[in-house]
Amino acid sequence: MCEENKRHNSFEKIYDVVRQIPRGNVATYGQVAALAGNRHWARVVGYALHVNPDPETIPCYRVVNRLGEVSAAFAFGGGNRQIELLEADGIPCQDGVVDLKKYQWSRRALEELETM
């Protein structure tokens, strides 16, 4: 498989995970990477989100770093825009940081609810 196809394939896996992050929750780059199939892809997640082809349906603003910090290099309007979008989702960003204990998405919990 050529390098371009590999990148496209990994980006699609990443976008599929990001589409699942519910309103009112965030995920970390590492979390998205692991759910997309490779826990070492955290930087790849960043690259994929930076070139997000459809920000309306792929809510890349719901992805933060491992400390809950928004990206100063948010590709769709900068860090302040990411904060605005998160706050519109009901997620407070005190000094550009999300409280991960309260707002981090738990797909496992979601899967458990679906089986009930």
Side-chain angles (χ1 to χ4, degrees), residues 22-72:
R23 182 180 179 90
N25 292 110
V26 296
T28 65
Y29 292 98
Q31 180 182 5
V32 171
L35 291 169
N38 187 328
R39 63 185 180 90
H40 300 290
W41 280 357
R43 285 184 190 262
V44 176
V45 170
Y47 300 142
L49 297 182
H50 193 74
V51 297
N52 181 351
D54 188 4
E56 293 295 318
T57 61
I58 305 168
C60 57
Y61 67 92
R62 293 182 183 151
V63 181
V64 296
N65 74 14
R66 65 185 176 82
L67 302 175
E69 299 167 338
V70 300
S71 173

Side-chain angles (χ1 to χ4, degrees), residues 19-26 59 61-62 85-91 103 105:
R19 280 186 193 97
Q20 295 176 52
I21 304 168
R23 182 180 179 90
N25 292 110
V26 296
Y61 67 92
R62 293 182 183 151
L85 291 167
L86 288 168
E87 289 181 342
D89 265 6
I91 303 169
Y103 296 100
W105 174 45

Side-chain angles (χ1 to χ4, degrees), residues 5-37:
N5 285 340
K6 280 187 204 173
R7 183 172 55 234
H8 176 75
N9 204 15
S10 60
F11 281 19
E12 286 306 314
K13 289 177 182 177
I14 289 164
Y15 296 147
D16 287 344
V17 171
V18 174
R19 280 186 193 97
Q20 295 176 52
I21 304 168
R23 182 180 179 90
N25 292 110
V26 296
T28 65
Y29 292 98
Q31 180 182 5
V32 171
L35 291 169

